[in-house]
Amino acid sequence: VSVMLSAFSNKAQQCEVWGYRPCLWKMVLVGMGAVCSGGLLLLLLYWLPEWGVKGTCTHTSLRDARTLLLRTTDEFRQWFRAKVHVMLAPGRKPFDSFNLQSTAQLPNGDGDHGVSAEEHHGKFAQRQPAQIHYFTHHSTKYYWNDETHNFELGLEDVNVSCASVHSDHSSGLSKMLQDYRRLFFGENEIAVRVPSLFKLLIKEVLNPFYIFQLFSVILWSAEDYYYYATAIVFMSVISIATSLYTIKKQYVMLHDMVAAHSVVRVSVCRGNKDIEEAMSTELVPGDVVIIPVNGMIMPCDAVLIHGTCIVNESMLTGESVPVTKTSLPSLGEEAARRYNMEEHKRYTLFCGTHVIQTRFYTGELVKAVVVRTGFSTEKGHLVRSILYPKPTDFKLYRDAYLFLLCLVGVAGIGFIYTIVLSIMNKVPAKTIIIESLDIITITVPPALPAAMTAGIVYAQRRLKRVGIFCISPQRINMCGQLNLVCFDKTGTLTEDGLDLWGIQRIEDGSFSPPESEAAKESLVNSAFVACMATCHSLTKIEGELSGDPLDLKMFSATGWILEEPTEEETALHNPIMPTVVRPPKHAIPEANYGNSDCLYILLVSFAPQSCEIGIVRQFPFSSALQRMSVVVRRLGERHMDAYLKGAPEIVANLCKQHTVPQSFTETLETYTRQGFRVIALAHRQLESKLSWHKVQSLSRDLIETNMEFLGLIIMQNKIKQETAGVLCELRKANIRTLMVTGDNMLTAISVARDCGMVRAHEKVIIADAVPPKDFQSASITWHYTENPAQVINLEEGMYDKKQTLQEQSYHFAVSGRAFAVITEHFPHLVQKLVLRATVFARMAPDQKTQLVEVLQSIDYTVGMCGDGANDCGALKRAHSGISLSELEASVASPFTSSTSNISCVPNLIREGRAALITSFCVFKFMALYSIIQYLSVTLLYSILSNLGDFQFLFIDIAIILIIAFTMSLNPAWKDLVWRRPPSSLISGPLLCSVLTQILTCLVFQVLAFLLVRQQSWYEIWTPQSDACNVSSSSLSHSQNTTSPHDHKNIRNYENTTLFYVSSFQYLAVAIVFSKGKPFRQPIYKNFDESLIVCVPHDWRITLVVIVIVNAAVSFMLEVANDRWGSSFLSWLFCQRNKAPSVRYMHLALELQDDSDWPPRPSTVTYDVDPGGCQQTSLHKE
């Protein structure tokens, strides 16, 4: 039975698992087979792990398995083998809470089967140790679970509520319990072990290609082709050395990056208020660590239970702005929820992130409970994704293997032909074996991988010159096939920073006129400016204000000053020192801080007129809640106030309805349609009886309710000047563009119109989906937005089938909430929707990744361009991810641009197309080279001759390698054209091109071979022959024998003729296949005789004519194939009306004939059947 196992919590890689145990008779048979095959069988079992396991083991249950066979369930279906280990422990689960004092000593872990039971028996006088089966796969341990009869992740999060984290886990673990848990969780270390050069060498040399090279070299040496064999060995050694150097360097870089801060000293709570120093490698989930005042690099994932931290998370998110982390709620509705790292990330400190500084009150230490260690942490997952990347799935590479198989098939024909011919001519058996095997080495070109890699290396170098850095070179070819690019909005399409355009306050229940200045003296005492000055997460780091760019703009617009207590003040007087903001004209005397003994005195010791405000508590911004709030106290006042800012729709819902102006919706739409980013503010006066300590434990839900609406802040987000031009260029190149943003829907639609993603005449349909509620099924309402360019008569014009395609064009716009509902309740509509959706607003980071996967499922080749802040998942998942952030998080993206605008996207696609065409050209050329050489050798075999050592050397080194490497030098074409390069080697036109060139070369080689034998001066060549200087009348026609020194019969007229003709054929096909426009620059921009017998002058001229005619025919056939090949093949095989092979085009054709799509204005689509099988469309009344 195969069992599914999840390899990493919510970022799951799924595997199927089969259990096996060793089988003696199978192992004996394999051993005998290995000896008989000279070790080849062992190599085969090494390359195919599933055969290796099935060939030496028998199937058994997972419980009794000693070896496991794993297969991934994704499209790659990769096989892995894993060994099952046994561990002895006093309990079966890491979170068992039995009394460990009864155990004399804990065993120290691993042992293979049958080793450790008796060895450890003395250590368990009172408790029988449990045998725990586990295996390790991709640096993650899986433990056997007797209840589920499956291997499970042993490192799952503690399944507890937020409140119980405080009540049950805040005191820390005893040393004994920590040691017990370490048996399961291991050392808290992300260990990137750098393999030895010997290990890397063995792994590299056992590559099938190098084994084939070794076979070829032995064969050539047996034929006395020592020079050629030496040259190939020399090339292989250089190739292996370069590869080893690169791999070793990457391992060392990753090891150094991970090891830099992985082992530190930490303070750990041991219960009963004992604190001891320990190494971070000893930490286990459940330990309580103390975060020092001056911060630290986090060695694990931990959740804050006391205090506040300011953290730089750029290593994980790419966002350089420090974020504020607060303690996990212990009361209220949120505290009752189960702790989830993704949901509660604003309370979680992640491994590898830098805690810059901490805030603590009334002498409380800043404490955090460890939740994950080692490779289970966020940083561990990032490192694992680098160590064990998914294979690159690209049609070119799959087709390359098929193409090589075709060449092997051709070689097989030559193999049989050689054997039959040699037997007929009574050739010795040794010669038959060597020459027939030699045909195989000729047909499969040894220089193919090096030549294929050259094009990618050159493309990588050209990308570097334009400021694009690549950590996954194989993906450059993929960029040539991109037909859809998703763009983040803020910082990618638009400028990173926001400018304050103006504010619009509420006066007497309605909006006052917009004002451009917030720093007026008349507004100093207003609640609106107080909210702007306090509702943020800014902090001072080394005297500089730091925080979210939006917060910085908003705060600087007020002109106020922010002051934070210093470490000395906090430590000396131990008061609760708040962050204070004040207007510049009302400076607070410094002496007042020093004389204050507690917060109460600090806050009431000034005159009531004072405008100073102390920030008592912060509820940080949450992208899920789309808001943030603070609790403050104005100096001199007894009560506290709450201020809130966030998305206008959210804030309005949290306010008393009578305080929200009636014109709120219209005013908001007016601004968002013009592309402004709008933030709403609200205020609430809290009860006087609320004390400082009570506020610290209140949940935000109790604070953020019954607010009074204050007004709107209008921020301007300017479009980058390069954006519109680049998007226009991509549209002309038939590349679809989407916007995926976390911003407001109408703002996103406005920006999409302004930058040309949605054109003036095109309609936008907003799909607004609502989940099922109170016996109401899920529904989608389709809203048609107003077109600013023209007035649309929806009823008459929209469904007129005579309209042109351009007039009918429309775009869908979907919010993150609607996307989640449609994915869950309307799965049948998802693909229809994404086919024409252009704007995705309010999208969470994981939804961006989900969208990329949906687009890939309908056969789009997807590019993703983002600034790295919240796009890491999507950048990784896309076929080609381009990060505009040069921070450490760019390790998540295959490409990183040093220019912070999207002009890098067309550059990357141009280079990708050039590299892809280069790969096709080189592949075709190398295939033709091997076939041309194969034809020459086959013809020469018919007269029991062959090419000589130096001839092979000259062809392969002087002609082929130079051509193969210079073919790749063509730079990319300057414009992006509408046509995309082919994606498959196994396509009609491409195969037609190769076959016509093979036939042309065959015809002209056979012609030259037969013509030379018809010449009047022709004779079977001997060392005495001199066709150049002796007239034909005096030539001897006697049947002279060949020289005894030339036992291979290499020196003859046929050999020389075919050598000349084939040498020029290589050059001809190289020029013919070196495509220039429209994907690459022309080839002319690249400019960076002992075995030959003498032939008469007139025959040399004949050969030149043959070569020129051959080249001309090759060229004309290739041009004809490019122009008319596809249409001729379609006509020939009656495939004119063939359905498109890619799903998105097939879907587009279906929807053209669907009269109910797109849905009509103000239509509601209901999910009638809970299974999502039916849908109905009803008009709203």
Side-chain angles (χ1 to χ4, degrees):
V1 179
S2 67
V3 182
M4 305 299 285
L5 75 99
S6 166
F8 192 81
S9 65
N10 56 355
K11 302 176 175 88
Q13 177 199 356
Q14 296 263 305
C15 289
E16 291 173 299
V17 190
W18 291 268
Y20 287 87
R21 54 185 169 78
C23 176
L24 187 64
W25 67 267
K26 282 188 178 182
M27 290 165 85
V28 169
L29 279 179
V30 166
M32 289 166 63
V35 171
C36 296
S37 64
L40 282 176
L41 180 62
L42 289 180
L43 269 176
L44 192 66
L45 298 183
Y46 169 77
W47 291 331
L48 301 165
E50 71 274 27
W51 289 18
V53 173
K54 289 174 183 175
T56 56
C57 303
T58 53
H59 203 289
T60 186
S61 66
L62 287 178
R63 176 71 186 85
D64 303 321
R66 302 292 177 271
T67 300
L68 297 175
L69 193 56
L70 296 91
R71 185 177 67 188
T72 59
T73 56
D74 55 20
E75 66 272 30
F76 306 108
R77 315 288 275 179
Q78 284 180 287
W79 290 93
F80 300 97
R81 67 184 294 168
K83 190 178 179 184
V84 177
H85 298 277
V86 177
M87 175 177 79
L88 290 179
R92 290 207 162 270
K93 293 183 180 175
F95 299 108
D96 281 352
S97 55
F98 52 80
N99 179 14
L100 281 163
Q101 301 308 319
S102 60
T103 311
Q105 190 187 345
L106 287 166
N108 195 12
D110 306 354
D112 288 338
H113 263 274
V115 176
S116 36
E118 289 178 19
E119 189 182 312
H120 289 298
H121 186 70
K123 298 179 182 178
F124 294 89
Q126 295 164 10
R127 179 184 292 277
Q128 182 62 37
Q131 282 197 349
I132 296 159
H133 294 232
Y134 73 94
F135 73 93
T136 306
H137 175 60
H138 286 180
S139 301
T140 306
K141 279 186 181 178
Y142 297 87
Y143 291 92
W144 176 255
N145 186 329
D146 277 321
E147 292 163 19
T148 60
H149 294 283
N150 191 9
F151 283 98
E152 291 181 349
L153 209 59
L155 315 181
E156 282 298 343
D157 299 335
V158 192
N159 216 0
V160 293
S161 67
C162 297
S164 69
V165 171
H166 280 275
S167 59
D168 303 336
H169 298 275
S170 59
S171 58
L173 303 176
S174 67
K175 191 82 176 82
M176 190 66 83
L177 193 54
Q178 187 194 48
D179 289 342
Y180 167 66
R181 286 193 184 173
R182 203 179 304 117
L183 288 176
F184 291 87
F185 296 105
E187 296 282 300
N188 172 34
E189 192 181 10
I190 301 170
V192 178
R193 290 184 171 80
V194 180
S196 66
L197 270 175
F198 180 72
K199 268 190 179 177
L200 288 173
L201 178 67
I202 295 298
K203 195 173 180 182
E204 188 71 17
V205 167
L206 292 181
N207 181 304
F209 171 71
Y210 287 120
I211 297 296
F212 179 72
Q213 291 275 52
L214 180 68
F215 164 73
S216 304
V217 165
I218 293 167
L219 192 68
W220 297 328
S221 301
E223 288 187 277
D224 301 333
Y225 288 154
Y226 298 118
Y227 292 107
Y228 184 55
T230 307
I232 293 297
V233 167
F234 180 68
M235 280 165 51
S236 297
V237 167
I238 290 174
S239 172
I240 290 169
T242 310
S243 181
L244 286 182
Y245 172 74
T246 310
I247 295 166
K248 181 88 174 177
K249 189 179 169 187
Q250 286 174 343
Y251 267 111
V252 170
M253 279 173 63
L254 185 61
H255 176 269
D256 292 347
M257 184 188 96
V258 172
H261 308 289
S262 61
V263 181
V264 292
R265 290 201 75 81
V266 288
S267 299
V268 184
C269 294
R270 284 278 173 250
N272 306 323
K273 299 198 173 176
D274 288 341
I275 295 169
E276 70 173 47
E277 291 281 306
M279 296 306 294
S280 59
T281 49
E282 296 172 22
L283 294 176
V284 294
D287 269 327
V288 175
V289 293
I290 291 160
I291 314 294
V293 181
N294 56 351
M296 66 188 293
I297 304 278
M298 288 300 296
C300 58
D301 288 352
V303 59
L304 263 179
I305 52 169
H306 288 304
T308 307
C309 292
I310 292 150
V311 188
N312 179 354
E313 291 192 326
S314 63
M315 200 288 292
L316 285 179
T317 63
E319 182 62 83
S320 58
V321 176
V323 291
T324 303
K325 302 277 185 172
T326 55
S327 57
L328 192 71
S330 57
L331 297 169
E333 190 184 321
E334 196 165 6
R337 287 196 203 142
R338 199 167 277 172
Y339 172 74
N340 176 288
M341 192 175 281
E342 192 63 37
E343 195 181 322
H344 296 103
K345 63 183 174 190
R346 59 187 179 277
Y347 312 115
T348 307
L349 304 171
F350 293 106
C351 179
T353 59
H354 183 197
V355 179
I356 301 165
Q357 60 191 51
T358 61
R359 293 269 180 276
F360 57 92
Y361 306 113
T362 59
E364 277 284 353
L365 294 168
V366 179
K367 294 180 183 178
V369 179
V370 177
V371 286
R372 282 190 187 166
T373 56
F375 275 102
S376 293
T377 61
E378 285 291 302
K379 184 179 178 181
H381 176 63
L382 185 64
V383 172
R384 286 200 306 125
S385 69
I386 299 166
L387 279 175
Y388 313 106
K390 269 192 171 182
T392 310
D393 178 38
F394 194 40
K395 212 164 185 300
L396 173 69
Y397 303 123
R398 278 181 281 146
D399 290 348
Y401 289 115
L402 284 172
F403 213 88
L404 280 174
L405 281 174
C406 293
L407 290 179
V408 169
V410 172
I413 296 167
F415 181 79
I416 294 163
Y417 162 81
T418 308
I419 291 173
V420 171
L421 192 72
S422 299
I423 290 170
M424 284 167 64
N425 285 292
K426 297 177 182 173
V427 174
K430 182 192 170 188
T431 311
I432 292 176
I433 293 166
I434 289 173
E435 291 195 344
S436 54
L437 289 174
D438 194 25
I439 275 284
I440 296 171
T441 67
I442 287 168
T443 318
V444 181
L448 180 62
M452 291 284 282
T453 309
I456 292 169
V457 170
Y458 292 141
Q460 193 174 358
R461 214 176 280 168
R462 287 195 295 269
L463 283 172
K464 198 172 180 180
R465 281 204 291 270
V466 293
I468 299 170
F469 302 95
C470 172
I471 61 167
S472 181
Q474 296 303 322
R475 291 198 184 228
I476 295 174
N477 276 339
M478 279 192 176
C479 297
Q481 275 297 310
L482 290 183
N483 47 24
L484 183 147
V485 184
C486 301
F487 292 97
D488 182 36
K489 183 179 81 70
T490 310
T492 304
L493 298 174
T494 60
E495 295 289 352
D496 218 349
L498 291 160
D499 296 313
L500 185 76
W501 180 85
I503 59 172
Q504 196 156 12
R505 296 180 298 118
I506 302 295
E507 283 182 358
D508 304 323
S510 62
F511 282 115
S512 64
E515 300 163 82
S516 59
E517 287 286 322
K520 293 182 197 167
E521 272 193 53
S522 58
L523 298 178
V524 165
N525 285 311
S526 67
F528 191 94
V529 169
C531 185
M532 285 179 72
T534 57
C535 198
H536 53 70
S537 56
L538 301 179
T539 186
K540 276 198 171 174
I541 296 169
E542 294 176 0
E544 287 288 315
L545 265 185
S546 179
D548 187 275
L550 187 146
D551 284 351
L552 278 168
K553 281 281 181 195
M554 187 180 76
F555 182 73
S556 61
T558 64
W560 284 40
I561 295 162
L562 180 135
E563 291 181 350
E564 291 182 324
T566 63
E567 285 176 37
E568 292 79 17
E569 289 168 334
T570 310
L572 185 62
H573 298 286
N574 198 22
I576 304 166
M577 299 291 291
T579 297
V580 173
V581 292
R582 59 179 176 81
K585 289 180 184 177
H586 302 278
I588 302 172
E590 279 189 27
N592 288 326
Y593 275 114
N595 298 330
S596 301
D597 289 323
C598 67
L599 176 76
Y600 182 73
I601 297 170
L602 178 77
L603 292 177
V604 299
S605 61
F606 298 98
Q609 292 81 16
S610 174
C611 293
E612 289 188 20
I613 303 172
I615 300 169
V616 175
R617 186 163 184 210
Q618 251 182 33
F619 294 101
F621 177 78
S622 155
S623 53
L625 300 173
Q626 295 176 26
R627 63 180 187 264
M628 82 159 287
S629 60
V630 288
V631 177
V632 304
R633 178 176 264 159
R634 194 179 283 266
L635 298 186
E637 291 185 359
R638 302 273 176 181
H639 65 80
M640 296 189 191
D641 295 279
Y643 289 111
L644 173 78
K645 77 158 193 230
E649 311 92 320
I650 304 290
V651 173
N653 287 336
L654 297 171
C655 289
K656 298 171 186 168
Q657 281 313 297
H658 69 272
T659 66
V660 181
Q662 288 185 337
S663 60
F664 168 76
T665 309
E666 299 84 66
T667 307
L668 179 62
E669 281 196 18
T670 306
Y671 287 124
T672 52
R673 274 213 187 90
Q674 293 173 58
F676 289 114
R677 182 155 179 193
V678 184
I679 294 149
L681 306 183
H683 162 254
R684 176 186 165 199
Q685 185 175 313
L686 301 176
E687 298 82 3
S688 304
K689 62 183 180 185
L690 272 179
S691 68
W692 176 283
H693 288 288
K694 204 160 188 183
V695 165
Q696 296 307 318
S697 59
L698 277 179
S699 76
R700 72 189 295 169
D701 300 332
L702 295 172
I703 302 273
E704 296 170 352
T705 183
N706 288 326
M707 310 291 282
E708 291 179 13
F709 196 78
L710 291 176
L712 304 172
I713 298 175
I714 300 103
M715 312 288 281
Q716 199 170 17
N717 193 197
K718 293 174 186 168
I719 293 171
K720 290 181 181 177
Q721 60 184 44
E722 301 85 1
T723 297
V726 169
L727 293 178
C728 178
E729 187 181 0
L730 293 174
R731 187 172 63 249
K732 285 178 183 172
N734 192 27
I735 294 166
R736 192 179 150 201
T737 54
L738 303 185
M739 184 194 295
V740 191
T741 176
D743 208 344
N744 172 285
M745 172 68 80
L746 293 172
T747 304
I749 293 171
S750 167
V751 170
R753 284 195 185 280
D754 291 345
C755 65
M757 208 176 265
V758 176
R759 284 179 282 180
H761 63 274
E762 294 173 329
K763 304 164 187 68
V764 176
I765 307 167
I766 297 175
D768 187 16
V770 182
K773 190 180 179 183
D774 301 333
F775 307 108
Q776 284 277 325
S777 57
S779 63
I780 309 171
T781 310
W782 309 90
H783 301 291
Y784 280 58
T785 63
E786 288 177 27
N787 191 328
Q790 60 192 62
V791 178
I792 311 160
N793 185 337
L794 288 170
E795 293 304 316
E796 294 170 19
M798 181 66 192
Y799 299 97
D800 182 2
K801 289 290 175 188
K802 291 178 185 175
Q803 280 186 302
T804 65
L805 188 64
Q806 191 185 35
E807 287 171 333
Q808 286 191 44
S809 58
Y810 59 91
H811 299 263
F812 286 114
V814 186
S815 68
R817 187 184 74 156
F819 184 71
V821 172
I822 293 167
T823 307
E824 186 179 350
H825 298 282
F826 301 90
H828 55 288
L829 288 182
V830 174
Q831 292 188 350
K832 285 185 183 181
L833 205 60
V834 298
L835 188 71
R836 296 305 295 268
T838 301
V839 177
F840 291 86
R842 296 280 188 228
M843 294 286 276
D846 59 324
Q847 287 181 314
K848 292 184 180 185
T849 311
Q850 204 178 345
L851 172 65
V852 168
E853 288 169 351
V854 170
L855 291 164
Q856 287 171 336
S857 73
I858 55 171
D859 294 340
Y860 275 112
T861 309
V862 182
M864 173 76 199
C865 182
D867 58 0
N870 52 0
D871 309 307
C872 282
L875 287 168
K876 244 191 253 184
R877 192 71 193 92
H879 290 108
S880 169
I882 312 138
S883 169
L884 303 186
S885 158
E886 286 191 80
L887 292 154
E888 225 171 334
S890 60
V891 85
S893 173
F895 301 95
T896 303
S897 171
S898 57
T899 52
S900 59
N901 60 63
I902 63 168
S903 60
C904 59
V905 175
N907 284 337
L908 186 60
I909 295 172
R910 268 197 294 274
E911 285 299 345
R913 288 181 172 188
L916 187 59
I917 286 294
T918 298
S919 293
F920 280 118
C921 293
V922 169
F923 208 98
K924 284 163 67 178
F925 171 69
M926 295 304 279
L928 254 294
Y929 139 64
S930 59
I931 294 292
I932 290 169
Q933 200 171 74
Y934 169 78
L935 294 174
S936 303
V937 170
T938 310
L939 286 169
L940 289 174
Y941 274 7
S942 69
I943 59 162
L944 303 183
S945 179
N946 199 350
L947 290 171
D949 193 357
F950 280 102
Q951 286 174 321
F952 275 124
L953 197 63
F954 178 79
I955 290 168
D956 280 30
I957 308 297
I959 299 180
I960 303 307
L961 274 186
I962 291 171
I963 289 174
F965 283 103
T966 53
M967 265 181 111
S968 308
L969 286 170
N970 296 44
W973 188 249
K974 55 187 180 294
D975 298 318
L976 267 184
V977 294
W978 189 84
R979 188 159 58 99
R980 272 191 299 278
S983 62
S984 173
L985 275 169
I986 314 295
S987 64
L990 201 140
L991 288 175
C992 187
S993 161
V994 170
L995 288 171
T996 51
Q997 295 301 329
I998 288 172
L999 286 172
T1000 307
C1001 292
L1002 175 65
V1003 166
F1004 282 94
Q1005 279 203 36
V1006 170
L1007 179 70
F1009 182 77
L1010 295 175
L1011 269 178
V1012 72
R1013 307 186 84 173
Q1014 302 302 316
Q1015 299 306 306
S1016 55
W1017 45 262
Y1018 175 80
E1019 65 171 356
I1020 292 177
W1021 190 89
T1022 68
Q1024 290 74 40
S1025 300
D1026 191 1
C1028 296
N1029 299 320
V1030 183
S1031 65
S1032 57
S1033 59
S1034 62
L1035 279 172
S1036 166
H1037 294 282
S1038 62
Q1039 297 294 314
N1040 294 327
T1041 57
T1042 56
S1043 164
H1045 300 295
D1046 189 17
H1047 62 276
K1048 286 187 177 178
N1049 187 23
I1050 286 168
R1051 303 177 75 184
N1052 54 61
Y1053 295 119
E1054 292 92 339
N1055 174 299
T1056 300
T1057 299
L1058 288 180
F1059 177 69
Y1060 277 144
V1061 171
S1062 66
S1063 294
F1064 282 103
Q1065 282 181 337
Y1066 299 131
L1067 293 169
V1069 293
I1071 293 164
V1072 165
F1073 285 157
S1074 280
K1075 299 283 196 316
K1077 188 177 177 182
F1079 302 118
R1080 305 195 306 165
Q1081 299 276 9
I1083 193 167
Y1084 59 76
K1085 295 206 176 181
N1086 284 4
F1087 299 147
D1088 255 358
E1089 236 198 90
S1090 62
L1091 298 177
I1092 297 172
V1093 299
C1094 191
V1095 291
H1097 186 73
D1098 55 350
W1099 180 241
R1100 294 180 205 176
I1101 293 168
T1102 308
L1103 287 179
V1104 171
V1105 171
I1106 288 173
V1107 164
I1108 291 169
V1109 174
N1110 183 346
V1113 170
S1114 291
F1115 181 74
M1116 287 188 291
L1117 283 171
E1118 188 66 11
V1119 170
N1121 182 69
D1122 280 351
R1123 287 202 180 171
W1124 304 295
S1126 294
S1127 47
F1128 172 73
L1129 288 170
S1130 297
W1131 172 80
L1132 189 67
F1133 297 105
C1134 306
Q1135 288 187 327
R1136 278 195 177 169
N1137 299 318
K1138 183 189 170 188
S1141 57
V1142 286
R1143 284 178 225 169
Y1144 69 87
M1145 290 177 73
H1146 189 74
L1147 197 58
L1149 286 174
E1150 275 182 20
L1151 293 180
Q1152 270 183 5
D1153 303 326
D1154 190 344
S1155 58
D1156 293 328
W1157 194 263
R1160 294 168 184 269
S1162 300
T1163 303
V1164 183
T1165 304
Y1166 289 103
D1167 176 26
V1168 175
D1169 179 6
C1173 299
Q1174 293 182 357
Q1175 68 165 66
T1176 60
S1177 295
L1178 303 170
H1179 277 286
K1180 273 187 176 176
E1181 292 301 326

